[in-house]
Amino acid sequence: MRALWLLLSLAVISSPPYALASNQAPAIKSVTSQYPWYQWQTVGQATLTWGLWDIYNSELKTPTGKYSGLDTDLALIIRYLRDIDKDDLLQATNEQWQHLGYSKQQITPWLTTLSAIWPNVKKGDRLIFVQRNGIGQFYQGTQPLGKPLSKSLTRSFIAIWLSPKTDYPELRKQLINQ
């Protein structure tokens, strides 16, 4: 049960509660010029609910507004509706990678990388995962978290939500708008 809640903490899709306060517009504008993902079109949205609790809202964007596979340039935007500890996020990620069939030898260095860059998240925080040309980068709001990720870590991370073998096929359908 704890593992399910932790995974659900990672991401799913949402209704669009991403309106920016007017005092944030200049920062977003500068990021937009460097990272055009912000201007991409929405593919799908949903709210992840576990029991009586809404965990987060998320949104999948691509340059065309269509999803065409794991190698697509994309942005997964997650707005947390609860506080979640980084260690809980890491544990849920580990469990999902095991479900997808990745080996311990693959998972261990990926978790080490994520542990160094992921924050504890607070209610209202936005974490964004952007994949461009097969390379991933995390952002908290408009700030990059760590360095760009390896292609293998990028692909394995987005597979948690978008692989046909995901543990949450209904959420995948909402994200990819099927």
Side-chain angles (χ1 to χ4, degrees):
M1 192 72 126
R2 179 176 182 260
L4 174 62
W5 186 84
L6 295 175
L7 171 69
L8 299 178
S9 302
L10 281 173
V12 160
I13 298 205
S14 80
S15 54
Y18 303 110
L20 299 171
S22 60
N23 64 351
Q24 290 178 316
I28 294 298
K29 198 172 201 177
S30 66
V31 170
T32 308
S33 62
Q34 284 185 298
Y35 306 103
W37 63 266
Y38 188 77
Q39 297 174 345
W40 292 349
Q41 297 175 35
T42 298
V43 177
Q45 304 176 12
T47 297
L48 177 67
T49 301
W50 187 68
L52 300 174
W53 298 283
D54 289 340
I55 307 301
Y56 55 78
N57 296 319
S58 60
E59 176 180 15
L60 182 67
K61 291 183 162 210
T62 66
T64 64
K66 297 189 184 322
Y67 174 72
S68 59
L70 288 173
D71 296 320
T72 304
D73 284 356
L74 56 83
L76 179 65
I77 304 162
I78 305 162
R79 183 175 161 265
Y80 288 89
L81 304 174
R82 311 187 68 70
D83 295 354
I84 301 171
D85 185 76
K86 168 175 75 170
D87 292 334
D88 292 338
L89 294 175
L90 291 166
Q91 178 63 34
T93 302
N94 181 30
E95 291 170 6
Q96 287 308 299
W97 280 334
Q98 289 177 20
H99 168 81
L100 291 170
Y102 292 105
S103 71
K104 185 175 182 176
Q105 291 87 351
Q106 292 171 300
I107 294 170
T108 299
W110 294 339
L111 290 174
T112 300
T113 298
L114 296 179
S115 180
I117 62 174
W118 276 357
N120 294 318
V121 294
K122 301 288 182 205
K123 181 179 179 179
D125 282 353
R126 286 187 336 150
L127 289 183
I128 300 138
F129 180 75
V130 177
Q131 173 178 284
R132 298 213 49 206
N133 301 316
I135 302 294
Q137 175 77 56
F138 285 100
Y139 296 85
Q140 185 169 23
T142 60
Q143 299 301 311
L145 297 175
K147 297 179 181 177
L149 306 176
S150 69
K151 286 189 176 195
S152 63
L153 177 49
T154 296
R155 187 172 177 86
S156 67
F157 182 77
I158 204 63
I160 292 170
W161 292 277
L162 301 181
S163 168
K165 297 188 321 186
T166 183
D167 211 12
Y168 300 94
E170 290 305 313
L171 297 177
R172 176 182 183 268
K173 286 180 183 179
Q174 290 177 333
L175 277 169
I176 64 174
N177 197 21
Q178 282 190 346

